[in-house]
Amino acid sequence: MADTVSRFIPATGPEIERMLNVLGLSSVDDLIGQVVPRGDMFQGSLPMASPISEPELVHELKRLALLNTHTDQVLSFLGAGAYKHGIPSAISHLVDRGEFLTAYTPYQPEISQGTLQAMYEFQTMVCELFGMDVANASTYDGASALAEALSMAHRVLRGRRPRAILAGAIHPDYRATCVTYSRAGPISLAHLPPRRDGRVSIQDLSRQLDRETCCVAVQSPNFYGLLEDLPVICPLVHDAGALLVVVVTDPHACALLRSPGELGADIVVGEGQALGIPLSMGGPHLGLFATRRRYLRQLPGRLVGRTVDSQGQRGFVLTLATREQHIRRARATSNICTNQGLCALMVSIYLSLLGPDGLRQVAMQSHSNALYLKKAISALPGFDLVYNAPFFHELVIRTPVPAARVVEEMLPDGFFAGLPMDRFPGGRSHELLICATEVLGKEQMDSFLSRLARFRGNATPARGA
Amino acid sequence: MSTVKTTSGTNGLLQSEPLLFERSVEGRTGWRPATSGVPLADDLPEDLLRQAPMRLPELSEPEVVRHYTRLSQWNYSIDTGLYPLGSCTMKYNPRVAEDLAALDGFAQLHPWQPVETLQGALHVMAFVEDSLKALTGLHAVTLQPAAGAHGELLGLLLIRACQESRGDPRSKILVPASAHGTNPASASMAGYQAVEVPAGPDGILEVDTVARLMDDQVAGLMVTHPNTLGLYERNLSSICKVVHEAGGLVYGDGANLNALMGIVRPGDLGMDVMHFNLHKTFSTPHGGGGPGAGPVAVTQELEPFLPVPVIHRGDPLTLEWDRPNSVGRVRSFYGNFGVVLRAASYIMEMGAQGLTHASRMAILNANYLRVRLSKAFEVAFPQPCMHEVILTDRLQRAHGVQTIDIAKRLMDYGFHPPTVYFPLVVPHAMMIEPTETESLDELDAFADALIQVAREAGQQPDTLKSAPSRPSLGRLDEVGAARFPDLRYDFDSTQ
């Protein structure tokens, strides 16, 4: 008897019978038998467990949650594309309202004005962050946003320039995503490794730039936390007739620094997680995507626009859908349909709570904390800084023992000490990427530093003793 | 209107609410950032520092909370009422999943944590992978794609990689005319030319049509099953054979999997790759347009090409990165873990019997509406349907009333309209998917409202053409919005 009662399925036995009567059938099996050929039907039983109650479910998932160690139980110095900043409580209370949480894409604007107005506000705030003219209503994450940006640049230049240059230290996952997206597409990727100081080599870049290049993508702050020299890079790229794509993985940086738009970027993509979205093991996060107005028609993803109703009242609708897959099909600017609407809403609420000052203070405190670590670590025997260029809130340090060992040995003492760079192809074994945000206190950083200091002894034997 | 039970949300008090930027007052703030005890300092080069402050709104917390609470009240949602969007599977979203996703042990996990500190999370992921394998009869699953269309792109890249490794790269892919727009768009992104396949007169793909189109340049067929007409593709297993014999592979769009759980396993029919929409079939909330998750299941032959990392089922669970044939990755980290977790909680609670029951009741509800509405409307395909049914406005057009008018008028009765003007192969379609989580009362109220609207189409067509009248805004000018795009607040002029 398959008609088991579920608390999410209201139909009772007698109601099922009433419906079957209307259909002139005597059982649900008869109905399905009318539609599904016998040979197609699954005859076995699914190798899955039986239904359980909510308390049992909660118990089981709490048990699994306890098998994890999370970032509130230790001191975490992990960043590298996912950042632990303070998250206002109001955000989850607001996005958990059923009217936001359980609405679909706002295809019927008269009864979706809440989502639509919030997305119009979101688009405006993303433009302000990045100093750009237009932003879409979000994409999946920073990595896929970058892959989409390369295709967009290729379209903007009418497909005549097949090459995209990924310059300097771009997040390895972002790079890998671009490689995968380009497997079948018309774009060939050129990788321009960072020079010794961890940043884009201007000489190499100008040598690489040619009439085949549709765009140059630069992450700043880059994967090592360093600020790229965009004021120099940008005119170089434009002189070659290419577009500059700037990637931002923690938009707090934009509160402190001249915006990518001000520096001349044509497309800015980023990861919005740092702005009020829980880490959640890497997703759902949020792809940010902004550009110049003149490239609007090549923008992927949904857009919300202002309009009026039949009475002339202000309202908002999804617009410029002729770029999108449900209208343009094979010739759409992207296949994207579902985006990250609720995450965009989280970021909107975060930005409206923090405002320009709050955002700047978070950025300043994060930077100051990282600067504090930088100074202290450079004075630790056996440790060193790998790069010395201006940075935001992440830095790569050279460790006296393999970085993976630092991470492993510090874990039992309650630290996520950072990300060993040799996790990535070409990464060096004694380099550790660390991150500081505003939520780390001075005492916590001091305990991290004194634990780090203990590595010097078992690495290099003290000389001259 | 009085004879029809309405559930309109517009009976309550509706506040007007300006834009955030219009509410902003200089000097207010809604957050006190943490201070660490480290004095603020900066050593940043002057020429890189921001000069002009960002024009973000300045508001206190109560104002922000009120702003978004008021906005929320302008939304229709599953929690408000029946949301019959065809092929969108707007079923109820269990609240417990939100609590579980918010547990610190999940929400506060950093993706770069050492793998031994992520064991619980990996178990959740492995559980969902195994469940999807069980439901489809396929061999392996990746959870990485962030949404259905993202899964489509990945699935097609897997097909491409597989055929290239066979030394048989191909350039085209067959896509039925009734497919979602994402299918041809994903095909383009994966480097394929989409070739449209017409269905037979009864809306079903025919073996001969597919056989005729298959050649050594056709990589395979993308097929939504059941299709977007709500119909069971009864020739599919024969079609899969034909495609395979010609060296092709079959991609299954899982948008409509809610009709099949425990009834048919797509892998048994011969599908090679399939994506899922966890935000449809597995009840994770749509969030006003996402986040979703679009896992992909594949046959054994395609497994080596899956994105990295994959979960290796040892004790402890580990992540495998070294997979030389992998297509790489389609996004950062491990996919939308938070969405996968919500799906896990749904699958665990429902179990095999619950999921099967869900599909059976989804089919019953759709067929009940089909029969109840078959007098007032033309049903595009009168045979029994799966989980959704398509009506048209043919009977109403005589009165000058169109699908859009019917859809807008339905709002006045308190319901969200169906998916309209899709699929494109049915002119002026209204595609209704009630899902299993609607009660008979609610189905009847919805049917009564639609029948009443059909009656009004003959008696007072102007009411329909000027609908809706009960939401806070009337019909919105979408043409004007596209002609003069206003996509962000203009700080420099008063709007």
Side-chain angles (χ1 to χ4, degrees), chain A residues 140-148 173-183, chain B residues 142-147 149-158 189 294-296 305-309 326-335:
Chain A
Y140 308 131
D141 74 333
S144 56
L146 176 58
E148 292 271 10
D173 280 6
Y174 291 38
R175 185 182 294 276
T177 301
C178 291
V179 170
T180 302
Y181 270 65
S182 71
R183 285 175 77 94
Chain B
T142 175
L143 303 173
Q144 197 175 90
H150 207 208
E152 290 175 27
L153 171 62
L154 173 63
L156 292 174
L157 291 174
L158 297 173
M189 287 176 78
V296 170
F305 307 102
L306 288 179
V308 284
S326 166
V327 296
R329 53 164 62 249
V330 290
R331 53 157 295 164
S332 55
F333 308 127
Y334 314 110

Side-chain angles (χ1 to χ4, degrees), chain A residues 152-405:
Chain A
M152 177 176 156
H154 183 255
R155 286 193 304 273
V156 163
L157 297 175
R158 296 162 198 276
R160 291 184 192 133
R161 291 168 165 243
R163 212 161 66 109
I165 299 177
L166 298 181
I170 287 180
H171 193 297
D173 280 6
Y174 291 38
R175 185 182 294 276
T177 301
C178 291
V179 170
T180 302
Y181 270 65
S182 71
R183 285 175 77 94
I187 300 176
S188 67
L189 294 181
H191 302 278
L192 191 64
R195 67 180 171 200
R196 282 176 63 94
D197 77 344
R199 298 193 295 168
V200 172
S201 158
I202 304 297
Q203 287 77 13
D204 289 354
L205 178 60
S206 39
R207 219 172 300 138
Q208 288 264 346
L209 273 165
D210 58 17
R211 299 171 63 88
E212 300 286 286
T213 306
C214 64
C215 69
V216 175
V218 179
Q219 179 179 333
S220 183
N222 71 21
F223 187 61
Y224 308 144
L226 311 170
L227 309 185
E228 294 286 0
D229 202 353
L230 294 177
V232 173
I233 292 169
C234 185
L236 207 59
V237 173
H238 285 165
D239 286 349
L243 303 191
L244 178 65
V245 178
V246 173
V247 185
V248 179
T249 54
D250 183 346
H252 285 101
C254 299
L256 219 52
L257 303 167
R258 284 170 75 191
S259 69
E262 194 186 335
L263 296 170
D266 300 287
I267 302 173
V268 185
V269 293
E271 173 53 64
Q273 175 274 328
L275 306 173
I277 301 173
L279 290 166
S280 197
M281 200 170 143
H285 291 175
L286 176 71
L288 305 173
F289 203 120
T291 189
R292 302 286 177 192
R293 197 168 174 94
R294 59 182 173 276
Y295 305 136
L296 177 59
R297 303 280 161 175
Q298 297 303 335
L299 188 66
R302 291 184 188 130
L303 283 167
V304 173
R306 188 172 74 110
T307 188
V308 289
D309 78 349
S310 46
Q311 313 298 314
Q313 304 178 86
R314 177 170 73 189
F316 301 90
V317 293
L318 290 176
T319 194
L320 299 176
T322 51
R323 300 164 300 113
E324 292 186 74
Q325 47 76 26
H326 61 281
I327 307 288
R328 187 63 58 89
R329 298 177 77 84
R331 293 173 54 237
T333 54
S334 166
N335 68 340
I336 191 169
C337 178
T338 292
N339 58 17
Q340 303 280 113
L342 205 70
C343 298
L345 184 63
M346 292 179 189
V347 165
S348 293
I349 299 168
Y350 181 85
L351 293 173
S352 16
L353 285 167
L354 268 76
D357 281 353
L359 208 66
R360 194 182 152 75
Q361 285 175 54
V362 168
M364 267 311 275
Q365 189 67 68
S366 301
H367 173 65
S368 305
N369 287 358
L371 195 60
Y372 178 77
L373 288 178
K374 178 183 176 178
K375 285 179 179 155
I377 288 169
S378 62
L380 278 184
F383 286 82
D384 204 356
L385 303 170
V386 177
Y387 307 110
N388 234 323
F391 75 113
F392 175 46
H393 66 0
E394 290 175 275
L395 55 152
V396 183
I397 62 174
R398 188 169 290 118
T399 50
V401 300
R405 204 178 118 198

Side-chain angles (χ1 to χ4, degrees), chain A residues 132-144:
Chain A
M132 300 301 278
D133 302 329
V134 287
N136 72 13
S138 83
T139 54
Y140 308 131
D141 74 333
S144 56

Side-chain angles (χ1 to χ4, degrees), chain B residues 79-163:
Chain B
D79 287 0
T80 318
L82 185 142
Y83 212 130
L85 285 175
S87 275
C88 298
T89 313
M90 291 296 284
K91 56 168 82 175
Y92 172 74
N93 311 130
R95 274 309 187 282
V96 64
E98 299 310 306
D99 289 352
L100 297 171
L103 290 174
D104 285 343
F106 295 124
Q108 307 296 339
L109 296 177
H110 194 287
W112 292 125
Q113 284 179 209
V115 71
E116 62 266 34
T117 66
L118 295 170
Q119 288 300 302
L122 293 178
H123 270 104
V124 168
M125 292 170 72
F127 168 79
V128 171
E129 288 184 3
D130 292 344
S131 302
L132 297 178
K133 285 191 265 180
L135 285 166
T136 56
L138 285 162
H139 177 76
V141 171
T142 175
L143 303 173
Q144 197 175 90
H150 207 208
E152 290 175 27
L153 171 62
L154 173 63
L156 292 174
L157 291 174
L158 297 173
I159 287 177
R160 174 171 284 278
C162 174
Q163 290 178 335

Side-chain angles (χ1 to χ4, degrees), chain B residues 178-192:
Chain B
S178 60
H180 296 113
T182 51
N183 286 188
S186 300
S188 294
M189 287 176 78
Y192 290 117

Side-chain angles (χ1 to χ4, degrees), chain A residues 3-4 6-8 10 18 23 28-29 34-35 37 40-42 49 51-52 61 64 68-71 79-80 82 84 88 97-105 108-115 117 120-121 123-124 127-129 132-133 140-141 173 176-177 180-181 184 254-258 279-284 293 296 304-310 314 317 319 325 329-330 335 339-342 348 352-356 365 367-369 371 391 416 423 440 442, chain B residues 18-20 22 29-31 36 38 40-41 43-44 47-50 54-57 67-69 71-72 74-79 83 85 88 90 93-95 100 104-105 107-110 112-113 117-121 149-150 160 179 181-182 185-186 188-190 232 263 265 269 285-290 321 327-333 336-338 348-353 357 360 367 371 384 386 408 411 436-437 473-477 481-482 485-489:
Chain A
D3 294 345
T4 324
S6 155
R7 62 174 173 149
F8 310 132
R18 270 169 55 200
L23 298 179
V28 178
D29 286 335
Q34 285 191 345
V35 191
D40 283 6
M41 282 208 201
F42 175 60
I52 55 175
L61 278 167
L64 290 172
N68 301 320
T69 304
H70 63 79
T71 52
K84 191 173 177 67
R97 288 185 64 89
E99 301 92 326
F100 283 134
L101 184 72
T102 75
Y104 197 71
T105 304
Q108 294 292 344
E110 295 83 5
I111 50 176
S112 311
Q113 282 301 302
T115 293
Q117 180 171 328
Y120 180 84
E121 293 168 344
Q123 291 171 186
T124 304
C127 288
E128 280 300 307
L129 276 179
M132 300 301 278
D133 302 329
Y140 308 131
D141 74 333
D173 280 6
T177 301
T180 302
Y181 270 65
C254 299
L256 219 52
L257 303 167
R258 284 170 75 191
L279 290 166
S280 197
M281 200 170 143
R293 197 168 174 94
L296 177 59
V304 173
R306 188 172 74 110
T307 188
V308 289
D309 78 349
S310 46
R314 177 170 73 189
V317 293
T319 194
Q325 47 76 26
R329 298 177 77 84
N335 68 340
N339 58 17
Q340 303 280 113
L342 205 70
S348 293
S352 16
L353 285 167
L354 268 76
Q365 189 67 68
H367 173 65
S368 305
N369 287 358
L371 195 60
F391 75 113
F416 291 157
R423 271 190 78 138
L440 288 169
K442 181 171 175 300
Chain B
L19 289 161
L20 282 169
E22 296 162 342
T29 186
W31 185 238
S36 65
V38 171
L40 297 184
D43 62 339
L44 295 167
D47 65 327
L48 290 180
L49 289 181
R50 175 179 277 272
M54 275 184 269
R55 293 170 294 183
L56 294 176
H67 176 78
Y68 286 101
T69 302
L71 291 192
S72 77
W74 297 347
N75 268 6
Y76 192 92
S77 65
I78 264 289
D79 287 0
Y83 212 130
L85 285 175
C88 298
M90 291 296 284
N93 311 130
R95 274 309 187 282
L100 297 171
D104 285 343
Q108 307 296 339
L109 296 177
H110 194 287
W112 292 125
Q113 284 179 209
T117 66
L118 295 170
Q119 288 300 302
H150 207 208
R160 174 171 284 278
T182 51
S186 300
S188 294
M189 287 176 78
Y232 189 89
I263 300 170
R265 297 197 308 178
L269 304 181
H286 277 73
W321 298 85
V327 296
R329 53 164 62 249
V330 290
R331 53 157 295 164
S332 55
F333 308 127
N336 280 346
F337 171 75
M348 266 183 210
E349 173 165 346
M350 295 289 279
Q353 296 92 324
H357 185 51
R360 290 163 63 88
N367 278 284
V371 170
M386 291 296 274
K408 298 297 182 191
M411 295 175 187
E436 74 280 7
T437 64
L473 293 182
R475 207 177 288 194
L476 285 144
D477 180 6
D486 173 346
L487 307 170
R488 55 168 296 179
Y489 181 71

Side-chain angles (χ1 to χ4, degrees), chain B residues 4 62 71 88 115 143 161 211 214 227 249 279 300 328 435 441 448:
Chain B
V4 177
L71 291 192
C88 298
V115 71
L143 303 173
M214 281 306 298
N227 67 28
L249 295 165
H279 48 294
Q300 191 159 10
T435 84
D441 297 341
D448 290 345

